[in-house]
Amino acid sequence: MLKLETVQSGYGNILAVKGISLEVNRGEIITLIGANGAGKSTTLLTISGIVRCRTGKILLNEEEIQALATDEIVKKGVVQVPEGRHIFPELTVQENLDMGAFLRNDTREVKKDLEYVFSLFPILAERRHQDGGTLSGGEQQMLSLSRALMARPKLLLLDEPSMGLAPLIIKQIFEIIKKINHDNGTTIFLVEQNAHQALQVANRGYVLENGKIATTGSAETLLNNPEVQKAYLGM
Ligand code: ATP
């Protein structure tokens, strides 16, 4: 579904992504793990067209998308949940969710999707008239994820959904990620520093080091790889 071919991108003189190639097949959960500053967020931002791909190709269902504007990429079903959540704090929960469906005009299906996200996160239904900014960190992550779901993504790009959250909430968020993939067949590309959690839910993974793919394999292979264990799993 998604293919990166020797993609380079960065900021000014800084090259953050240094020629990476990877593939995400339809229906998979793929994780990109790596340390702080390895280039994980930049990889996602490049797929979304927010940071420009300088060389290489990004293919979505065989079609090159690296030159498209972000809104065109979103219309093709690629939706990113940014790091640090970035909900609209002064809009209510309901209004935040409406923003996610902004590009859609299939009102009945939007209503169904709203019911679906409320079934995933009943707390958001309870707080639908409350301002987004009054929610806890975990609830804001739920809202950010739900807002992305309201765009009915085919490929969901998640940037560190576990960041800054308590262990119990992290567990809940990862269970929901698995459920979204299972219920709707949504393909998920998950960027995480929390390698342990990410590899529990992913089918396969890539390890990013200093802007380059250092190793790749099934989640099980990576979990049993001594170098991965030492560097990312604290073993
Ligand atoms: P983190 O887990 O901290 O988000 P990351 O693996 O996602 O790390 P990136 O955020 O992609 O890493 O950063 C890769 C490199 O690009 C780092 O050297 C970082 O300092 C640099 N960088 C990131 N954003 C910018 C920016 N807006 N301007 C300049 N340099 C940036």
Side-chain angles (χ1 to χ4, degrees):
M1 183 176 203
L2 177 76
K3 199 170 180 185
L4 271 60
E5 290 180 5
T6 55
V7 167
Q8 294 201 348
S9 65
Y11 311 90
N13 294 330
I14 299 168
L15 202 57
V17 172
K18 302 172 184 167
I20 73 171
S21 298
L22 57 84
E23 275 182 50
V24 180
N25 298 313
R26 181 166 296 110
E28 280 187 313
I29 302 181
I30 297 299
T31 186
L32 181 67
I33 58 176
N36 224 328
K40 303 180 301 297
S41 296
T42 308
T43 303
L44 281 196
L45 293 167
T46 310
I47 296 166
S48 292
I50 297 165
V51 170
R52 277 288 137 213
C53 175
R54 293 186 182 174
T55 58
K57 282 184 191 167
I58 302 174
L59 299 145
L60 183 70
N61 300 318
E62 317 278 315
E63 182 198 348
E64 287 188 30
I65 59 162
Q66 74 274 3
L68 298 184
T70 299
D71 64 322
E72 291 173 285
I73 295 171
V74 173
K75 276 187 206 147
K76 290 185 182 293
V78 181
V79 181
Q80 183 168 346
V81 179
E83 183 180 318
R85 310 186 261 277
H86 296 287
I87 55 131
F88 300 106
E90 280 154 29
L91 298 185
T92 64
V93 166
Q94 178 69 57
E95 287 163 343
N96 268 277
L97 294 171
D98 292 344
M99 294 300 279
F102 186 69
L103 290 172
R104 296 175 60 181
N105 44 27
D106 52 338
T107 318
R108 276 171 77 170
E109 295 297 306
V110 168
K111 218 173 148 215
K112 268 197 211 161
D113 290 347
L114 186 66
E115 279 162 22
Y116 178 66
V117 300
F118 283 157
S119 75
L120 292 178
F121 301 115
I123 190 82
L124 295 182
E126 280 172 37
R127 310 220 155 150
R128 64 198 291 174
H129 301 301
Q130 213 169 302
D131 284 354
T134 65
L135 301 181
S136 71
E139 289 161 0
Q140 289 191 22
Q141 183 61 61
M142 293 171 194
L143 180 56
S144 183
L145 181 55
S146 298
R147 186 181 58 191
L149 291 178
M150 291 306 295
R152 204 176 262 196
K154 295 192 179 82
L155 172 62
L156 190 58
L157 307 174
L158 300 177
D159 196 349
E160 302 218 18
S162 76
M163 197 169 77
L165 301 181
L168 211 62
I169 308 283
I170 294 176
K171 195 163 172 271
Q172 194 188 352
I173 296 275
F174 277 92
E175 272 165 16
I176 296 284
I177 290 169
K178 234 175 150 171
K179 184 166 162 52
I180 292 164
N181 169 261
H182 176 263
D183 288 352
N184 314 305
T186 311
T187 309
I188 295 176
F189 188 52
L190 166 69
V191 156
E192 259 299 341
Q193 262 193 68
N194 189 336
H196 188 73
Q197 280 290 351
L199 289 169
Q200 296 298 324
V201 299
N203 304 108
R204 293 187 294 118
Y206 291 87
V207 178
L208 192 64
E209 281 175 8
N210 193 20
K212 293 181 179 163
I213 302 291
T215 183
T216 179
S218 69
E220 203 188 335
T221 307
L222 293 176
L223 280 167
N224 291 312
N225 177 326
E227 281 171 30
V228 173
Q229 287 179 343
K230 190 160 166 252
Y232 303 104
L233 300 171
M235 294 165 85

